[in-house]
Amino acid sequence: MAIDSNIAQSTVDFHGLNQLRYQATQSQDDQQTMRQVAAQFESLFVNMMLKSMRQASLGEGIFDSDQSKMYQDMSDQQLASDLSSRGGLGLQDVIFRQLGGETAAAKQELQAGRAFSIDTVIIRPALGAKVNERIIEQIKEAKPTQPEQVTPFGEKMTFANPQDFVEKLWPYAEQAAEKIGVSPEVILSQAALETGWGQHVLSHADGETSFNLFNIKADSSWSGDFTSKNALEYRNGKALHEESRFRSYESYQQSFDDYVQFLQTQPRYQEALRHTADPEAFVEHLHKAGYATDPQYADKIKRIMNGDTLAQISQEIAHG
């Protein structure tokens, strides 16, 4: 008895699989039976794939409901069945061979020694050592790497020295400076003091950087990620180490953007923003407003700002 190759594949035909099971037990044509089973398995796989894609959506539509989801599931099931009945995604042949079947093309390739699948691994001759080494090297070269934080110039965002720090962060500082009306040198001087020219940017317990260049703390208004560190604070003239939470970002661009927003939205820094034309006055008012508890904070920034290192680098950048 030959198995019926026209078994209805429809989302509303709930007896299709049972009918296939029954006819498979009565069939003498093992190859045709396995072909039908392979098609059903492929249809199930495609349906699972479509369901996973639906679940990965960012949100529900305004017209979504339980009824619409039901009809959507039925549509996906029908699509999976239709794809399988028309040749599918190529999985049908693979499943068919795993069940013990052999297509004419597979037999031909196997005889020619060209087939490569789970069926033919055992009979494939071992590759020479040099060939294996070459394949391994090709795989290593093709292996994707994790993206690194880069500057607009395409450089890796690591800082070898103060000049490297200024050159790589200058574009970000320029953008931030334009928004608040201060010079880029002032912003970079503060970032240099807070991070030791980029050598001591706060990190998480796993070693991942926080990208926090200005050591802005994660107060109650902050809902993003943060890292906790022992920080040196001055209370009543005494230096103390206190556990504090600091904001964490996904990039240095976000750090600069948040610095600008932090100053512009905090009432206590409005006086400093009124003195952006005078860099030293701006820094002094930041300090008076409580940006840092270090009594020498403003003087330290001004020393960096007026020092030879930053002046020389900024002139070189300005003159191309």
Side-chain angles (χ1 to χ4, degrees):
M1 173 182 176
I3 192 167
D4 183 5
S5 60
N6 295 316
I7 292 177
Q9 293 189 31
S10 171
T11 56
V12 295
D13 178 12
F14 301 107
H15 302 289
L17 198 56
N18 285 332
Q19 184 181 356
L20 174 64
R21 182 187 304 167
Y22 172 76
Q23 292 196 15
T25 60
Q26 304 298 317
S27 174
Q28 302 298 318
D29 188 350
D30 291 341
Q31 295 291 313
Q32 185 65 21
T33 302
M34 286 185 285
R35 171 61 69 183
Q36 287 289 95
V37 172
Q40 288 287 350
F41 272 112
E42 183 184 50
S43 177
L44 289 172
F45 175 81
V46 173
N47 186 43
M48 291 171 61
M49 181 178 67
L50 290 171
K51 187 175 182 179
S52 297
M53 292 170 65
R54 298 286 189 194
Q55 292 174 345
S57 63
L58 296 178
E60 296 183 351
I62 59 175
F63 298 111
D64 283 352
S65 64
D66 292 339
Q67 288 79 11
S68 68
K69 289 180 180 179
M70 180 186 71
Y71 286 114
Q72 188 177 73
D73 288 342
M74 292 176 64
S75 176
D76 288 345
Q77 291 174 27
Q78 187 63 57
L79 176 61
S81 295
D82 290 345
L83 283 173
S84 179
S85 65
R86 297 175 185 177
L89 304 177
L91 295 174
Q92 192 175 137
D93 286 340
V94 176
I95 297 172
F96 178 62
R97 290 198 297 271
Q98 299 310 306
L99 293 173
E102 288 184 327
T103 63
K107 287 182 179 180
Q108 201 170 24
E109 286 190 345
L110 185 60
Q111 292 170 356
R114 294 194 304 270
F116 182 78
S117 68
I118 193 68
D119 313 272
T120 60
V121 168
I122 298 176
I123 65 171
R124 180 175 290 276
L127 297 175
K130 291 184 178 180
V131 176
N132 277 327
E133 290 175 0
R134 186 165 63 250
I135 293 174
I136 292 172
E137 287 301 317
Q138 290 174 348
I139 293 173
K140 287 181 178 179
E141 291 174 1
K143 184 179 180 180
T145 57
Q146 293 294 326
E148 299 186 53
Q149 177 67 24
V150 297
T151 69
F153 307 114
E155 298 170 315
K156 292 181 181 179
M157 190 59 81
T158 55
F159 311 110
N161 49 51
Q163 180 173 350
D164 196 34
F165 178 82
V166 174
E167 289 178 349
K168 289 180 177 177
L169 294 181
W170 185 268
Y172 301 107
E174 273 192 321
Q175 293 176 5
E178 289 179 3
K179 294 176 182 178
I180 59 177
V182 76
S183 67
E185 289 88 345
V186 178
I187 297 178
L188 286 175
S189 295
Q190 188 176 5
L193 175 62
E194 293 284 358
T195 65
W197 298 98
Q199 301 303 307
H200 304 291
V201 179
L202 293 175
S203 60
H204 293 272
D206 60 1
E208 291 294 322
T209 180
S210 68
F211 294 105
N212 193 337
L213 291 167
F214 303 96
N215 288 342
I216 300 177
K217 291 183 179 178
D219 55 16
S220 58
S221 65
W222 179 251
S223 59
D225 196 9
F226 64 87
T227 181
S228 299
K229 292 290 180 182
N230 272 318
L232 185 64
E233 303 287 354
Y234 290 83
R235 307 296 181 192
N236 299 320
K238 295 182 179 180
L240 304 171
H241 283 279
E242 297 179 358
E243 183 78 9
S244 300
R245 290 182 174 182
F246 295 88
R247 301 182 182 188
S248 182
Y249 312 103
E250 295 182 0
S251 68
Y252 287 123
Q253 180 67 66
Q254 288 187 8
S255 180
F256 278 97
D257 291 343
D258 189 53
Y259 172 77
V260 172
Q261 185 178 19
F262 181 70
L263 296 186
Q264 290 179 334
T265 57
Q266 295 289 327
R268 57 178 172 160
Y269 296 121
Q270 298 311 302
E271 185 64 27
L273 293 176
R274 283 192 281 269
H275 290 81
T276 53
D278 184 344
E280 294 195 2
F282 171 76
V283 171
E284 289 170 359
H285 282 287
L286 274 185
H287 187 201
K288 289 179 182 179
Y291 192 97
T293 59
D294 182 355
Q296 302 298 319
Y297 188 75
D299 292 335
K300 290 177 181 178
I301 293 178
K302 286 188 282 186
R303 280 199 295 270
I304 296 174
M305 188 169 58
N306 298 321
D308 294 336
T309 300
L310 186 61
Q312 180 180 353
I313 299 170
S314 60
Q315 285 181 3
E316 291 176 357
I317 294 174
H319 291 86

